[in-house]
Amino acid sequence: MQFGFLIITYGNKYLGECISSIRKFHNDIPIYIVDNMIENNINIVDNNIFYSKNINNNYELGSIWFATKKWDTVDKFIILHNSMILLQKLPEFIFKDDVVPFWQANVMDYSPVVPTVEKWLLEKNIVMKINKSWKSICGCCCSINTSILKQLIKLNCDKWFATNKNQAVACEILLGYLIENLLNITYKNVLHKYPLYIYIHNKQKSTY
């Protein structure tokens, strides 16, 4: 299986630190970068780093669709933002499980943007299961087999992406919904026990 770290970036800020942390613990795995800052230009001289500007700033989920189609030989993406760094080597289930969210939160935490997701789903005659809760994939950060992403692309789910920050938040619960309720995939593991805001506001210790 061909693995790849996918970094979603908005320019150069923190990108070097993110790359260095990956290289420290997983030096043999290629890095793929999608830059949503269209006017930006990054010159990277490294045979194991692949860089591309996005077509538009389609935020995180749009970048994932873009990367899946552009680098179609990659079997699994480990998806990070440019502002993230690894503190230690990732556990084996990140590479073995079909999909592993890094952080999750209940859809109820996203109530203001749920109507956006419901509207998107109705465009394809998918009725949201109101009586069934599900969890987001915070920041769309996860490890995921690209076969899952390609399956969603075949269902034309790549037509859904954000064009503003509110929609970007909506995409976090959309991706969770598509995986859990459309494809009926269950998670064996989650990288972090608590939602991301718990680590920030309660100063809960995180190791990765």
Side-chain angles (χ1 to χ4, degrees):
M1 176 174 282
Q2 182 175 334
F3 302 109
F5 279 93
L6 173 60
I7 302 175
I8 301 169
T9 190
Y10 296 85
N12 304 26
K13 192 172 184 180
Y14 307 124
L15 183 59
E17 290 87 344
C18 181
I19 292 172
S20 295
S21 74
I22 294 171
R23 284 285 177 258
K24 182 177 180 180
F25 300 109
H26 302 281
N27 189 48
D28 57 331
I29 298 179
I31 296 173
Y32 300 83
I33 301 169
V34 175
D35 194 346
N36 278 327
M37 187 178 287
I38 308 305
E39 66 275 12
N40 194 46
N41 189 25
I42 301 174
N43 183 26
I44 297 176
V45 182
D46 188 315
N47 292 332
N48 217 24
I49 298 179
F50 305 89
Y51 169 84
S52 181
K53 295 179 183 179
N54 205 342
I55 298 171
N56 297 293
N57 179 8
N58 295 328
Y59 292 83
E60 288 77 25
L61 187 55
S63 298
I64 293 169
W65 302 136
F66 176 85
T68 302
K69 289 180 276 190
K70 181 171 182 61
W71 296 298
D72 61 355
T73 59
V74 179
D75 298 307
K76 181 188 289 289
F77 278 129
I78 300 115
I79 303 168
L80 303 173
H81 294 189
N82 60 301
S83 58
M84 298 176 179
I85 60 171
L86 300 185
L87 300 178
Q88 65 180 53
K89 191 172 183 179
L90 293 169
E92 283 301 312
F93 62 75
I94 288 289
F95 304 97
K96 291 182 178 179
D97 291 3
D98 291 342
V99 56
V100 180
F102 290 175
W103 300 275
Q104 290 185 298
N106 193 283
V107 65
M108 292 186 295
D109 294 340
Y110 291 78
S111 56
V113 296
V114 169
T116 299
V117 175
E118 184 176 21
K119 180 181 177 181
W120 283 340
L121 293 171
L122 283 175
E123 290 173 1
K124 299 190 183 302
N125 298 315
I126 301 173
V127 178
M128 182 184 291
K129 300 173 183 178
I130 301 296
N131 62 339
K132 184 176 181 181
S133 182
W134 74 94
K135 291 187 176 181
S136 69
I137 297 181
C138 298
C140 297
C141 294
C142 60
S143 67
I144 186 167
N145 288 356
T146 56
S147 59
I148 294 173
L149 297 169
K150 290 173 182 177
Q151 188 176 352
L152 291 172
I153 289 171
K154 284 183 180 179
L155 295 171
N156 294 318
C157 296
D158 59 323
K159 306 304 179 185
W160 292 320
F161 51 81
T163 57
N164 57 58
K165 289 185 178 179
N166 284 340
Q167 290 181 354
V169 174
C171 284
E172 296 182 12
I173 56 172
L174 173 66
L175 182 58
Y177 186 92
L178 295 176
I179 291 172
E180 286 190 50
N181 293 333
L182 185 62
L183 300 183
N184 296 310
I185 295 173
T186 56
Y187 307 116
K188 295 179 181 178
N189 292 287
V190 177
L191 182 60
H192 294 286
K193 181 178 178 181
Y194 303 104
L196 183 56
Y197 67 85
I198 296 292
Y199 293 96
I200 295 172
H201 297 297
N202 295 0
K203 297 182 180 180
Q204 182 73 36
K205 185 178 179 181
S206 175
T207 55
Y208 294 101

